[in-house]
Amino acid sequence: MRKILIVGAGQAGMQLALSLQAEDYEVTVMSARTPDELRDGWPTSTQVMFDPALQYERVYDLNLWEDEAPRIPAVGISVSPEPGVRALKFDGPWEPYAMSVDQRLKMSSWLELFEDRGGRIIYHPVMTSDLAGLASMYELTLIAAGKGEIVELFDRDPVRSKYDTPGRALSAIYLHGMVEPDDFPAGSMRINVAPGVGELFVISALTQFGPSRVAFVEAIPDGPFDCFWDRPRPDEHLRRLQHVMLEHMPWEGELMLDCEPTDARASLSGAFTGTIRKPYAEVADGTFVFGMGDVVVVNDPIAGQGSNNAAHCAGIYTQAILDRGDRPFDPEWMQATFETFWETRAQHSTGLTDALLNPLPDHVQQVLGAATQHQAVADRFTRLFPHPEDLGPFLGDPEAALAYVAEVAQADAATRA
């Protein structure tokens, strides 16, 4: 039985720990917080898990909320070129559906599940200086703690990393009482885009307090949406959110008038810089640790790829560890395993994130306009979120993208004739 240490108890670390535990590996997890501390704490992220990522959880019976969490069957997109003006909107399905579970609920439950299944958890923060002694006790040590000084062990990849500063100021709040709109399929996630200002995402989610909505804002720094920098308490956070949305996106602001925070710690705000890091680091002579999840690929959440990347990373790493058998987990294996993750998933999710963070080229704007007229175009665009690998084939070549739109328009015209 091979001995593995996982430092960090988020989506990537806990999914890997529970998966390897089911495969009879001797896994130890180190978590800075206990289940109660996680459950009663502040949110650390938002998340929308798409079906390809959820499939990794289902293999090991980890999707504990399959029948309880609200199902997100589609996404609706609106564009607001100036305050109060909704220039276009369209929607498309996510098949079979997406799902969001507050990570305060999810990770605390997964820690308890791991212990119930006989796993060993050490509740203690891990510093960089601790790793030399710890890693030597295990055949493989993985770092899944995506924040703090420990991340700095892993060198920034200057070729794959494009940003030196955060692209957006981020804020979110979990809410009860939001009215359901009647212009998108029930339960849809909603993306509202105000070019030059920012974005509002509204997400159906499950918390320990029941079903809720998450209002998640991506604000261009120093713009009107960037009004949560001082990390206000939930009541004040909601007041500011209502004020700015009634001015800029009144069709959303009016749905929030009777909302209230789900709990006394329902909000978060902050910012981070998208970064790709080298996948392994040497912590002592000949002793290496292997990064995963946000440690090695952290993207702005504008494309909803963070938790999905983490799930894909954990799934790919699980299979690579199983395939390794009794052979050593050396740096060459670590690099090759990361490259598999990068080539099959992370490069595509990073590309989609980059595309949405930056001003859209003319041909993409034309595609969005066509999506309001042709459902096939809308469906293919909204499918990019669970399947970012289609970004290049769909929108990478302007001539090919517009030729596709023309082909769809011609087919629709023939159908109507």
Side-chain angles (χ1 to χ4, degrees), residues 48 70-75 94 96-100 187-189 203-205:
V48 176
R71 297 184 176 187
I72 306 173
V75 58
W94 283 337
Y97 51 83
M99 185 176 292
S100 177
S188 297
M189 179 172 130
I203 306 162
S204 299

Side-chain angles (χ1 to χ4, degrees), residues 132-153:
L134 284 169
S136 64
M137 300 166 58
Y138 297 87
E139 294 175 76
L140 175 63
T141 296
L142 297 111
I143 308 301
K147 298 177 182 177
E149 66 150 15
I150 200 169
V151 178
E152 301 306 317
L153 274 172

Side-chain angles (χ1 to χ4, degrees), residues 1-9 13-14 16-18 20-21 24-31 111 114-115 118-124 126 131 134-135 137-144 292:
M1 185 182 294
R2 305 200 75 172
K3 295 178 62 177
I4 293 177
L5 174 65
I6 299 172
V7 178
M14 287 311 303
L16 180 65
L18 286 156
L20 292 177
Q21 182 186 52
D24 294 325
Y25 283 72
E26 185 179 332
V27 183
T28 299
V29 171
M30 296 194 71
S31 172
L111 280 166
F114 183 73
E115 288 191 291
R120 180 178 182 234
I121 302 178
I122 301 172
Y123 292 105
H124 195 280
V126 177
L131 287 174
L134 284 169
M137 300 166 58
Y138 297 87
E139 294 175 76
L140 175 63
T141 296
L142 297 111
I143 308 301
M292 67 180 305

Side-chain angles (χ1 to χ4, degrees), residues 10 21 39-40 46 65 101 143 172 177 200 204 208 214 245 353 386:
Q21 182 186 52
R39 192 178 289 113
D40 298 334
T46 60
W65 304 273
V101 178
I143 308 301
L200 168 70
S204 299
Q208 62 180 307
V214 183
M245 289 306 151
T353 299

Side-chain angles (χ1 to χ4, degrees), residues 183-217:
D183 53 354
F184 289 129
S188 297
M189 179 172 130
R190 305 194 297 278
I191 303 175
N192 296 270
V193 181
V197 177
E199 298 81 22
L200 168 70
F201 298 75
V202 179
I203 306 162
S204 299
L206 180 69
T207 74
Q208 62 180 307
F209 310 100
S212 69
R213 295 290 188 274
V214 183
F216 169 49
V217 173

Side-chain angles (χ1 to χ4, degrees), residues 95-123:
E95 296 178 346
Y97 51 83
M99 185 176 292
S100 177
V101 178
D102 183 351
Q103 291 201 337
R104 295 178 293 176
L105 169 62
K106 187 172 188 177
M107 297 312 146
S108 60
S109 299
W110 272 6
L111 280 166
E112 291 168 341
L113 179 63
F114 183 73
E115 288 191 291
D116 289 344
R117 292 178 176 178
R120 180 178 182 234
I121 302 178
I122 301 172
Y123 292 105

